[in-house]
């Protein structure tokens, strides 16, 4: 195959040079991941921001001449650095930035995880995906207290329930073309599903972009409570499951933007009087990213923006949430 020059302004287009292509094109990981799998989504979607997905943990080593520059570009994390985790809520110190509840609609913190000893979603066979689902569900069904809940397989959900869960921000959307081109939607909806507790403050997405997306969320801006719930759940799950992780890159994920903490801490916030450009400028200055009301690749509806940490690798979880809190304080100051 000749050099497939990627179109558009993605990180793939910036970093896949003919030389990198020549060096990597004949390599294959133990699970059979090749460069053409890694770059398939970015080639099919020229409007990709990033354009690459890892098929397994080894992809990050074998294809490092492509991943490392993309990782450095996105996270500002060089090849000589090492990621350090800190999920201790006692180290957070992020007071509620909107104690009167005037602007922040809700707060959500999610982390991505994949199980060690399986390839990632784009490479899993149908059988392996079912084993991942069963393993994860077994671990989740043992949770107690506030975290206790039930697993709902996607194929059992009726369309109206599904649509409501998506509209209410509890469930992933279907048919994402970036995931589709990466092979992450194969055999849909088989072995996909949603676990949640009674109040829907603790949720786990199973076998979407990553094998687990572990989510803590609630109305308002109590970052400390949302983080503490997530940390508690992770503490229990870490004892029951072994997650894919590397000393250098932290938790390993399908998309390199999620490496490290694999954490996106966000608020849904209304900022009356500020234009989208003003919001984005303040957010960017605080290392934050702005998304639409229904997540990535959506627009703001009813003036509700999703503001979250952009960097996930090279900073501890508690630092990422502190960055969010500082940025939200700055945005609220600009409103008043
Ligand atoms: P991810 O969070 O996994 O990166 P998305 O950007 O697609 O993926 O967001 C997933 C869902 O979470 C979407 O429905 C989005 O609106 C919702 N969401 C994100 N942040 C918040 C928040 N602070 N409050 C409520 N829902 C949120
Ligand atoms: C893309 O390349 O646009 C998609 N694969 C999504 C990348 C993740 N987005 C992000 O900025 N965190």
């Amino acid at each position: 195959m000749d050099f497939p020059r990627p179109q558009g302004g993605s990180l793939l287009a910036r970093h896949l040079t003919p030389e990198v292509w020549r060096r990597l094109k004949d390599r294959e990981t133990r699970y059979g991941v090749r460069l053409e799998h890694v770059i398939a989504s970015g080639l099919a979607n020229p409007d990709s921001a990033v354009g690459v997905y890892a098929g397994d943990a080894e992809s990050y080593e074998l294809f490092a001449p492509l991943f490392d520059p993309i990782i450095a570009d996105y996270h500002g994390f060089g090849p000589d650095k090492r990621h350090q985790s800190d999920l201790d809520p006692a180290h957070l110190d992020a007071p509620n930035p909107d104690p009167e509840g005037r602007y922040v609609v809700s707060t959500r913190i999610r982390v991505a995880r994949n199980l060690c000893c399986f390839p990632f979603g784009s490479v899993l066979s149908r059988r392996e995906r079912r084993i991942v689902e069963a393993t994860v569900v077994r671990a989740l069904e043992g949770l107690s207290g506030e975290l206790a809940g039930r697993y709902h397989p996607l194929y059992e959900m009726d369309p109206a329930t599904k649509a409501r869960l998506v509209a209410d921000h509890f469930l992933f959307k279907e048919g994402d073309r970036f995931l589709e081109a990466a092979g992450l939607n194969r055999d849909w909806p088989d072995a996909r599903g949603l676990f949640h507790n009674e109040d829907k403050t603790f949720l786990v997405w199973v076998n979407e972009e990553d094998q687990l997306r572990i989510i803590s969320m609630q109305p308002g801006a109590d970052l400390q409570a949302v983080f503490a719930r997530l940390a508690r759940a992770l503490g229990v799950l870490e004892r029951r499951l072994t997650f894919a992780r590397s000393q250098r890159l932290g938790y390993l994920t399908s998309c390199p933007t999620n490496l490290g903490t694999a954490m996106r801490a966000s608020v849904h916030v209304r900022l009356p009087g500020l234009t989208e450009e003003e919001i984005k400028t303040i957010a960017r200055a605080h290392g934050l990213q702005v998304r639409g009301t229904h997540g990535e690749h959506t627009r703001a509806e009813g003036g509700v923006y999703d503001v979250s940490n952009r960097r996930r690798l090279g900073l501890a979880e508690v630092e990422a949430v502190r960055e969010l809190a500082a940025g939200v304080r700055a945005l609220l100051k600009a409103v008043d």
Side-chain angles (χ1 to χ4, degrees), residues 155-234:
Y155 69 83
E156 278 183 8
M157 271 182 216
D158 67 85
T161 306
K162 219 189 305 182
R164 180 103 303 265
L165 287 167
V166 173
D168 291 345
H169 310 286
F170 296 126
L171 179 63
F172 45 80
K173 295 188 283 286
E174 293 190 9
D176 179 286
R177 66 189 156 90
F178 301 91
L179 301 185
E180 181 68 35
L184 276 152
N185 293 346
R186 280 174 306 110
D187 307 318
W188 196 275
D190 199 81
R192 274 76 174 195
L194 172 71
F195 174 93
H196 66 80
N197 67 357
E198 173 95 18
D199 296 341
K200 301 201 189 76
T201 54
F202 175 67
L203 308 97
V204 180
W205 296 357
V206 179
N207 282 323
E208 196 241 8
E209 177 173 326
D210 291 290
Q211 291 161 5
L212 298 95
R213 286 288 175 99
I214 304 166
I215 301 159
S216 170
M217 63 198 283
Q218 68 188 50
D222 191 342
L223 292 165
Q224 195 77 37
V226 174
F227 186 80
R229 183 188 301 113
L230 181 71
R232 200 158 59 242
L234 289 173

Side-chain angles (χ1 to χ4, degrees), residues 105-110 165-173 205 208-209 213 215 217-218 258 264-269 291-298 305-307 312:
V105 181
S106 52
T107 300
R108 173 182 186 264
I109 308 181
R110 62 84 166 154
L165 287 167
V166 173
D168 291 345
H169 310 286
F170 296 126
L171 179 63
F172 45 80
K173 295 188 283 286
W205 296 357
E208 196 241 8
E209 177 173 326
R213 286 288 175 99
I215 301 159
M217 63 198 283
Q218 68 188 50
N258 283 320
R264 192 168 84 86
S266 62
V267 292
H268 268 184
V269 62
R291 296 185 180 186
T293 318
H294 290 281
E296 194 164 36
H297 309 121
T298 68
Y305 290 88
D306 169 335
V307 178
R312 307 188 222 293

Side-chain angles (χ1 to χ4, degrees), residues 23-37 56 58-59 62-63:
R23 250 179 100 187
L24 303 183
K25 71 182 175 49
D26 296 320
R27 295 188 183 181
E28 190 168 318
T29 70
R30 261 160 292 164
Y31 286 121
V33 180
R34 297 172 56 81
L35 184 61
E36 62 221 57
H37 299 130
D56 56 10
E58 193 190 348
S59 300
L62 203 64
F63 304 111

